[in-house]
């Protein structure tokens, strides 16, 4: 702000959302037609050009594209850069969040006096490298300057997080792997680990993470997995289980969550609970505090924990979830997508403290051998 001790921008800065950014790419393509579509240009720009703060065609020609599924050559990059130049004209001085992170990081990096003495940050696996670079720029490098915590296996957005590329030095004894699980039982931990056992995951230093040595201090019931012939049978089982838990009185309703992979599936769960006179709150749009049962999509479960988690609609036919373009994915794209889905199930199962109940219709998913 102009009236603060840190004068960053001379005029008001415009911010555009990812949806608005795609509209701008569409306008750029109207002027510079190309074989590359809006979705590809959006991801290429954000995952390569903005991530590495590329400013010229020369830099783009040598920029790393590790992790990108579509191979392109020098001629393709030259074509893409022409569209990038038109995109920059179309956005007329406005910025995306990651572009602002790059601008702010440059500004604070140049300042002798930093805004903060220390920074504590959780869930760093969800950060991009520009966001981490911004964190680094906000505090002077010294002993105990930054305390960063994250779980590479919870990287459900498949972001390539690298501390070194963000200017964060964790070499030597500055990093530590936490291997003791204080929240879930050993049985639940094994299920969660099974979901990602085949997923190659990088730690935050560019090395491959592994599952060796992780353990839980508690033991409990083995997670259950029940499949049915019809949706009605699955619904009947769920309501019977919920009523038994609610009537027992030893677990509060808000300590139970029923979750599904999609919003449409969750809408069906809500209709079922309404019909059964079971009060609920949706984690996606409700405030905490009420004692009602919780319902949630898998993605919205992130950051929460419950004594009992139900994962409904999980079967061989539905795992992984097959979106509208799933059949058209290239082999590498499909591999990346399925790794992302496995990380999502890892998150879902690890939300439970005491018990996980999985249900589905048809055959059990081969991902979970229970």
């Amino acid at each position: 702000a102009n009236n603060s001790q840190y004068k960053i921008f001379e005029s008001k800065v415009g911010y555009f959302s990812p949806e608005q950014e795609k509209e701008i790419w569409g306008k750029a393509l109207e002027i510079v037609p190309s074989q590359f579509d809006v979705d590809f240009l959006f991801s290429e720009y954000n995952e390569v050009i903005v991530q590495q703060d590329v400013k010229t065609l020369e830099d783009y020609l040598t920029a790393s594209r590790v992790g990108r599924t579509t191979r392109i050559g020098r001629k393709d990059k030259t074509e893409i850069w022409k569209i990038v130049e038109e995109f920059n004209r179309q956005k007329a001085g406005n910025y995306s969040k990651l572009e602002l992170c790059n601008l702010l990081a440059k500004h604070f990096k140049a300042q002798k006096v930093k805004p903060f003495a220390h920074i504590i940050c959780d869930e760093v696996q969800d950060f991009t490298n520009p966001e981490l670079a911004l964190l680094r720029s906000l505090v002077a490098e010294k002993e105990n300057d930054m305390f960063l915590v994250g779980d590479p296996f919870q990287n459900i957005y498949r972001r390539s997080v690298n501390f070194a590329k963000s200017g964060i030095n964790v070499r030597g004894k500055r990093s530590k792997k936490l291997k003791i699980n204080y929240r879930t039982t050993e049985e639940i931990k094994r299920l969660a680990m099974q979901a990602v056992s085949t997923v190659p995951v990088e730690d935050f230093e560019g090395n491959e993470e592994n599952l060796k040595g992780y353990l839980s201090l508690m033991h409990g019931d083995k997670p259950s997995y029940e499949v049915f012939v019809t949706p009605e049978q699955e619904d009947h089982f769920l309501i019977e289980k919920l009523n038994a838990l609610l009537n027992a009185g030893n677990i509060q309703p808000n300590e139970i969550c029923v979750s599904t992979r999609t919003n449409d599936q969750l809408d069906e769960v809500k209709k079922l609970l309404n019909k059964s006179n079971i009060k609920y709150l949706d984690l996606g749009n409700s405030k905490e505090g009420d004692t009602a049962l919780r319902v949630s999509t898998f993605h919205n479960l992130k950051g929460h924990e419950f004594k009992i988690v139900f994962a409904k609609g999980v079967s061989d036919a539905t795992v992984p979830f097959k979106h509208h373009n799933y059949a058209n994915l290239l082999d590498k794209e499909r591999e990346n997508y399925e790794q992302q889905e496995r990380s999502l199930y890892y998150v879902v199962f690890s939300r439970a403290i005491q018990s996980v109940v999985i249900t589905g219709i048809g055959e059990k998913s081969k991902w979970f051998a229970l």
Side-chain angles (χ1 to χ4, degrees):
N2 290 338
N3 60 351
S4 73
Q5 59 176 318
Y6 296 108
K7 189 173 181 181
I8 303 172
F9 301 112
E10 294 296 333
S11 59
K12 186 176 180 181
V13 173
Y15 167 81
F16 52 76
S17 67
E19 293 75 22
Q20 291 170 319
E21 181 176 347
K22 287 187 177 183
E23 291 180 6
I24 300 172
W25 281 112
K27 292 178 181 177
L29 281 175
E30 290 176 3
I31 298 173
V32 186
S34 170
Q35 60 177 312
F36 300 104
D37 62 18
V38 166
D39 288 335
F40 173 84
L41 293 168
F42 174 85
S43 61
E44 180 75 6
Y45 185 74
N46 285 285
E47 294 177 22
V48 178
I49 296 173
V50 178
Q51 287 277 351
Q52 299 175 51
D53 201 19
V54 172
K55 297 299 184 185
T56 66
L57 172 59
E58 289 70 26
D59 289 339
Y60 181 43
L61 291 174
T62 59
S64 170
R65 298 185 72 256
V66 174
R68 298 289 288 151
T69 55
T70 303
R71 297 182 63 180
I72 57 175
R74 186 182 183 91
K75 183 179 179 181
D76 294 322
K77 284 191 171 184
T78 302
E79 177 184 335
I80 291 168
W81 195 255
K82 291 179 181 178
I83 309 170
V84 170
E85 290 176 332
E86 181 58 37
F87 170 78
N88 286 326
R89 283 191 286 269
Q90 290 289 333
K91 67 189 182 78
N94 296 308
Y95 300 93
S96 68
K97 181 179 76 171
L98 293 187
E99 289 175 323
L100 286 174
C101 285
N102 283 337
L103 287 172
L104 290 168
K106 283 183 179 179
H107 170 81
F108 286 114
K109 188 176 180 180
Q111 306 301 311
K112 291 183 178 180
V113 179
K114 306 297 183 181
F116 302 102
H118 307 278
I119 285 180
I120 298 174
C121 183
D122 194 10
E123 305 285 2
V124 295
Q125 76 279 346
D126 294 333
F127 279 55
T128 60
N129 289 325
E131 289 168 328
L132 287 174
L134 175 57
L135 285 184
R136 173 69 278 174
S137 72
L138 295 175
V139 58
E141 189 167 356
K142 59 183 182 298
E143 186 177 2
N144 296 325
D145 51 355
M146 305 179 77
F147 184 80
L148 309 177
V149 184
D151 182 353
F153 292 103
Q154 289 192 46
N155 190 354
I156 62 177
Y157 304 111
R158 304 304 297 171
R159 287 172 176 155
S160 179
V161 179
N162 190 297
F163 285 161
K165 291 181 179 178
S166 305
I168 298 172
N169 177 21
V170 294
R171 290 173 294 182
K173 296 183 178 180
R174 301 194 71 187
S175 65
K176 184 176 182 180
K177 184 180 293 186
L178 306 177
K179 294 185 176 182
I180 299 178
N181 181 353
Y182 295 92
R183 182 175 65 193
T184 66
T185 65
E186 177 67 15
E187 290 75 16
I188 293 173
K189 185 221 74 177
R190 289 174 185 170
L191 173 64
M193 291 298 190
Q194 182 185 350
V196 292
S197 60
T198 63
V199 177
V201 172
E202 282 191 1
D203 62 15
F204 304 124
E205 300 177 63
N207 304 313
E208 186 169 336
E209 183 61 278
N210 63 70
L211 302 172
K212 295 179 180 178
Y214 289 98
L215 60 91
S216 294
L217 299 182
M218 302 180 294
H219 281 274
D221 296 334
K222 182 181 178 180
S224 66
Y225 191 173
E226 304 288 341
V227 291
F228 305 90
V229 176
T230 67
E232 291 76 17
Q233 290 174 337
E234 183 185 20
D235 291 348
H236 179 73
F237 173 85
L238 175 63
I239 295 303
E240 276 201 338
K241 276 280 189 180
L242 290 176
N243 281 328
L245 289 168
L246 296 173
N247 293 332
N250 56 342
I251 293 180
Q252 296 300 311
N254 62 354
E255 296 175 319
I256 304 169
C257 184
V258 180
S259 63
T260 63
R261 174 61 180 81
T262 69
N263 285 306
D264 288 342
Q265 289 174 317
L266 193 63
D267 287 340
E268 293 301 316
V269 167
K270 292 176 181 179
K271 292 177 184 178
L272 177 64
L273 295 176
N274 285 330
K275 185 178 178 181
S276 304
N277 294 316
I278 297 177
K279 187 179 178 182
Y280 63 86
L281 281 179
D282 186 339
L283 285 181
N285 52 36
S286 299
K287 294 181 179 180
E288 294 294 328
D290 196 286
T291 59
L293 174 88
R294 285 350 189 209
V295 298
S296 175
T297 60
F298 289 171
H299 284 86
N300 285 337
L301 270 177
K302 204 167 188 300
H304 296 274
E305 64 179 31
F306 301 91
K307 287 187 176 179
I308 300 176
V309 171
F310 287 81
K312 188 176 184 293
V314 179
S315 68
D316 188 55
T318 61
V319 177
F321 172 66
K322 298 170 182 62
H323 53 72
H324 71 282
N325 197 43
Y326 181 80
N328 298 323
L329 294 179
L330 301 174
D331 289 344
K332 186 61 177 178
E333 291 174 328
R334 184 167 298 182
E335 179 184 334
N336 288 343
Y337 174 71
E338 292 186 0
Q339 289 174 1
Q340 181 177 319
E341 287 290 290
R342 283 184 175 274
S343 291
L344 180 59
Y345 278 98
Y346 170 87
V347 169
V348 171
F349 299 149
S350 61
R351 300 308 92 196
I353 299 172
Q354 294 181 2
S355 180
V356 173
V357 181
I358 309 169
T359 65
I361 302 167
E363 299 293 327
K364 291 183 179 180
S365 168
K366 298 178 179 62
W367 285 12
F368 319 117
L370 291 179

